[in-house]
Amino acid sequence: MSFRGVLASLTVLVAVLFALSLVTGVAPVGPGESLLALISDDGGPLTMVMREIRLPRAILAVMIGVSLGLSGAAMQGFLRNPLAEPGLIGVSSSAALGAVLALQTGFAMAFTLALPFAALMGAVVGVAVILFLAGPGGGAFTLILAGIALSALTGAMTSLVLNLSPNPFAANEIVFWMMGSLADRSFDHVWMALPIMALGWVALARTGRGLEALTLGEDAAASMGFDLSRLQLVLLGGVAASVGAAVAVAGAIGFVGLVVPHMLRPLVGGSPSRLLPAAALGGAALLLAADIAVRLVLPGRDLKLGVVMALVGAPIFLHLIWRMRGQP
């Protein structure tokens, strides 16, 4: 299949899953009646459910899937490692720590978007620390080490907050938030995250040519006129904006940035620049499908999206490791 064919197929898949997400719910209402309630403005309860609950949930699933898939493809291209994913540089754990501190201190109750705002600030601080540790001339190896150190530190601090929490209700809320979910999200979350994510998408889309050059090695890319320090800065900024905003509005959802690029890479010929848009669409499709599964598998229980993605992604991650045995 050609590259255009891959993108067209993924676009159709996202559109179909988006429609299915809109008509999936616990209420015993048919698809036609649900879509009609979305279009018409009769002021009834079904219209409110469609417009205020299901529609923003489906839109957020697309936005977060695009962010995680695109960030994962960019990270794998920059680090030239199929096992790389956005959480490797500590952005996700930094954002999670910001949200945990907001919940523990009570700041999350200050105003409607206090929790996602705190998570976003955590992601910004995390990227600043990464840039400080890696330095302007730090290569991929230095970036990985700095990311591992930051992830370990923020993970330990999150555990410390939970361990010392005097309020069991706050601790319970923290644990459930960290599992990741799109339930009870509104257009307030969409409008907060969309501008930040869009900046990240634009930044990551501009790294395509540099990632292509990096397939020949850092020295070859530098000799071709690419500023690797600038490429690293743009990539980190794009990942921070995209993933930080995603974690801010939905909690920690892992494995999308790892699984999607791996699945789509053979279809685009291994080209990093072509993998970026394909992974963005693939991430949206995967997250929509997972969110639909959350509502179908246990409709009466609050099954967390992050748990479902871990159950899907972990076996694929182990399969990747198994296939790479013995490779230099």
Side-chain angles (χ1 to χ4, degrees), residues 82-83 258 262 315-325:
L83 298 181
L258 172 67
H262 169 68
I316 297 178
F317 183 73
L318 294 174
H319 175 67
L320 274 173
I321 298 175
W322 178 269
R323 288 185 56 185
M324 294 182 66
R325 290 188 312 159

Side-chain angles (χ1 to χ4, degrees), residues 26-295:
V26 295
V29 181
E33 186 179 353
S34 297
L35 294 177
L36 182 62
L38 176 65
I39 298 171
S40 64
D41 188 9
D42 59 3
L46 183 57
T47 297
M48 185 183 69
V49 168
M50 292 298 297
R51 293 187 174 185
E52 302 298 329
I53 298 177
R54 292 189 187 178
L55 183 59
R57 180 170 183 162
I59 293 174
L60 278 174
V62 172
M63 291 167 49
I64 294 170
V66 168
S67 296
L68 297 178
L70 184 61
S71 298
M75 287 295 301
Q76 292 180 12
F78 182 75
L79 299 177
R80 286 158 289 163
N81 188 335
L83 298 181
E85 55 103 18
L88 187 65
I89 60 172
V91 175
S92 300
S93 57
S94 299
L97 177 61
V100 166
L101 290 175
L103 289 169
Q104 179 61 34
T105 59
F107 176 69
M109 304 298 294
F111 55 95
T112 304
L113 297 177
L115 179 61
F117 177 78
L120 195 59
M121 290 302 99
V124 171
V125 172
V127 170
V129 172
I130 285 290
L131 291 175
F132 174 77
L133 292 176
F141 183 69
T142 306
L143 185 65
I144 292 174
L145 290 179
I148 292 174
L150 180 63
S151 296
L153 177 62
T154 52
M157 292 178 68
T158 300
S159 299
L160 180 64
V161 171
L162 282 169
N163 183 223
L164 299 179
S165 175
N167 188 344
F169 298 102
N172 187 62
E173 187 177 0
I174 289 170
V175 170
F176 275 95
W177 183 88
M178 290 178 62
M179 292 181 184
S181 176
L182 292 177
D184 303 323
R185 301 307 188 265
S186 67
F187 273 109
D188 289 338
H189 296 88
V190 173
W191 299 131
M192 177 188 179
L194 183 57
I196 301 169
M197 287 185 180
L199 289 175
W201 299 342
V202 172
L204 292 175
R206 296 181 59 186
T207 63
R209 292 183 59 201
L211 297 180
E212 289 283 355
L214 269 177
T215 59
L216 302 175
E218 293 185 5
D219 293 337
S223 66
M224 295 169 64
F226 288 96
D227 186 346
L228 298 185
S229 297
R230 182 177 179 276
L231 176 64
Q232 176 178 296
L233 183 62
V234 171
L235 184 137
L236 285 178
V239 170
S242 302
V243 178
V247 175
V249 296
I253 301 175
F255 291 103
V256 177
L258 172 67
V259 171
V260 172
H262 169 68
M263 295 174 61
L264 296 177
R265 186 173 287 106
L267 300 180
V268 298
S271 170
S273 61
R274 290 187 172 187
L275 184 59
L276 292 177
L281 291 171
L286 180 60
L287 211 63
L288 280 168
D291 191 45
I292 293 171
V294 163
R295 285 174 276 176

